Amino acid sequence: GDSVTQMEGPVTLSEEAFLTINCTYTATGYPSLFWYVQYPGEGLQLLLKATKADDKGSNKGFEATYRKETTSFHLEKGSVQVSDSAVYFCALSDDQAGTALIFGKGTTLSVSS
Amino acid sequence: EAGVTQFPSHSVIEKGQTVTLRCDPISGHDNLYWYRRVMGKEIKFLLHFVKESKQDESGMPNNRFLAERTGGTYSTLKVQPAELEDSGVYFCASNPVGIGEQFFGPGTRLTVL
């Protein structure tokens, strides 16, 4: 079945450091890919998404490119801030209508000043 | 516009007791989903409603779990009787038909002692 694998955390960085959180997937067909973020005490929020190969999703300085050849959707940010401290989840769905999302285990990011 | 709300935010019960979780989706969203995250693991899909009908309940772990969505508005998830392994965070999400992004609530943290 479909699955998502993302790098284990926690990831600890200093402010202004470069961030990469790796995410790879296994799926039949052409899934849509998502990054969700959960800030402390809050629910999951969509951070960015991509619906087809070579699409780049971006939001709040974060970017991820849908790479079909490597089945990857790595999350990057050039300069993290303390306020980026959160849990990040990579996810996929089988079609754009968004049936059940399949999530990775989540990566906890902690940014210190 | 109000987001997805869930009640209660926390619940602590003893093994064998019954607990009912409630989710109020965003108004007008026909799709409603339940997910669960057991500590340190993936967020796993439980079931999906379209209006009041169960579209997919393949993720429901066993018959101790009962979900309803009477009238196609809010939904309840009852666990009866609760077991230790039911502990985790239960998320609800909603979206309109045809839209990929799912909008999540803050979750209910269930602890079974």
Side-chain angles (χ1 to χ4, degrees):
Chain A
D2 295 355
S3 65
V4 174
T5 302
Q6 64 181 103
M7 63 186 288
E8 299 283 335
V11 174
T12 303
L13 296 173
S14 298
E15 210 165 22
E16 300 182 4
F18 183 85
L19 169 71
T20 300
I21 301 178
N22 290 336
C23 172
T24 57
Y25 67 91
T26 302
T28 55
Y30 303 96
S32 293
L33 301 174
F34 306 86
W35 277 100
Y36 278 83
V37 59
Q38 185 179 23
Y39 298 104
E42 299 184 15
L44 290 164
Q45 302 173 25
L46 179 68
L47 181 60
L48 53 84
K49 67 179 180 183
T51 58
K52 62 182 186 297
D54 300 325
D55 268 2
K56 177 186 283 187
S58 61
N59 186 26
K60 299 182 181 180
F62 290 88
E63 293 183 340
T65 301
Y66 189 141
R67 301 284 188 201
K68 187 169 181 293
E69 64 276 13
T70 54
T71 61
S72 65
F73 193 54
H74 304 321
L75 182 68
E76 296 182 336
K77 186 174 185 181
S79 176
V80 294
Q81 305 300 312
V82 172
S83 56
D84 294 326
S85 299
V87 183
Y88 292 81
F89 295 91
C90 186
L92 68 81
S93 72
D94 283 342
D95 58 48
Q96 293 190 24
T99 49
L101 289 168
I102 296 170
F103 286 90
K105 288 188 177 181
T107 302
T108 299
L109 171 65
S110 179
V111 181
S112 58
S113 58
Chain B
E1 178 182 286
V4 177
T5 58
Q6 293 187 244
F7 182 83
S9 56
H10 294 87
S11 181
V12 180
I13 62 172
E14 295 193 350
K15 176 182 171 181
Q17 289 186 320
T18 297
V19 63
T20 300
L21 313 181
R22 173 171 169 145
C23 168
D24 286 77
I26 293 172
S27 178
H29 285 191
D30 287 342
N31 287 314
L32 186 150
Y33 312 81
W34 283 99
Y35 294 86
R36 175 175 74 172
R37 187 184 191 205
V38 173
M39 183 157 47
K41 300 200 172 181
E42 300 91 340
I43 299 171
K44 293 249 184 184
F45 167 76
L46 297 178
L47 86 159
H48 169 209
F49 285 97
V50 178
K51 297 185 180 179
E52 67 275 8
S53 299
K54 291 176 185 174
Q55 184 77 11
D56 180 357
E57 52 184 328
S58 60
M60 294 287 263
N62 51 61
N63 60 9
R64 295 185 293 103
F65 289 75
L66 175 64
E68 296 181 325
R69 192 183 183 194
T70 307
T73 54
Y74 71 91
S75 174
T76 57
L77 179 65
K78 180 191 287 188
V79 186
Q80 179 182 29
E83 298 289 345
L84 299 179
E85 64 265 24
D86 301 332
S87 295
V89 180
Y90 290 76
F91 292 101
C92 176
S94 72
N95 64 3
V97 172
I99 301 298
E101 176 184 356
Q102 295 182 18
F103 298 84
F104 281 78
T108 293
R109 181 174 297 277
L110 173 64
T111 302
V112 182
L113 303 175

